[in-house]
Amino acid sequence: MKKLSTLILILMISACGLVEVCVVCTEANTGIEEDYCGSPEQVQEFEDELEDTGNQYGQDWNCTGA
């Protein structure tokens, strides 16, 4: 029964959009790291902003999930 209630809790949290993911992004030329945690949508926006900024300044950002 405990496994079932845990599964239900996880599904409820997922349904509410409270899932948090984290990424670590490293700039290839300088080795600078930026880390960010948030909802999947927020993380995608963060990566998109890094890419846009990187394109403007000749930076090469590579992001991996943490």
Side-chain angles (χ1 to χ4, degrees), residues 4 9 14 26 30-31 37 44 49 52-53 56-57 62 64:
L4 181 59
L9 179 62
S14 297
T26 305
T30 62
C37 294
Q44 185 61 53
E49 288 175 14
D52 291 345
T53 302
Q56 292 176 354
Y57 295 102
N62 300 305
T64 57

Side-chain angles (χ1 to χ4, degrees), residues 14-59:
S14 297
C16 294
L18 298 177
V19 176
E20 184 174 88
V21 294
C22 296
V23 292
V24 176
C25 301
T26 305
E27 204 287 313
N29 301 312
T30 62
I32 294 173
E33 285 189 358
E34 293 281 337
D35 59 332
Y36 184 82
C37 294
S39 71
E41 293 83 13
Q42 291 171 324
V43 169
Q44 185 61 53
E45 288 175 17
F46 173 76
E47 290 179 355
D48 291 345
E49 288 175 14
L50 271 184
E51 184 177 346
D52 291 345
T53 302
N55 289 338
Q56 292 176 354
Y57 295 102
Q59 298 171 330

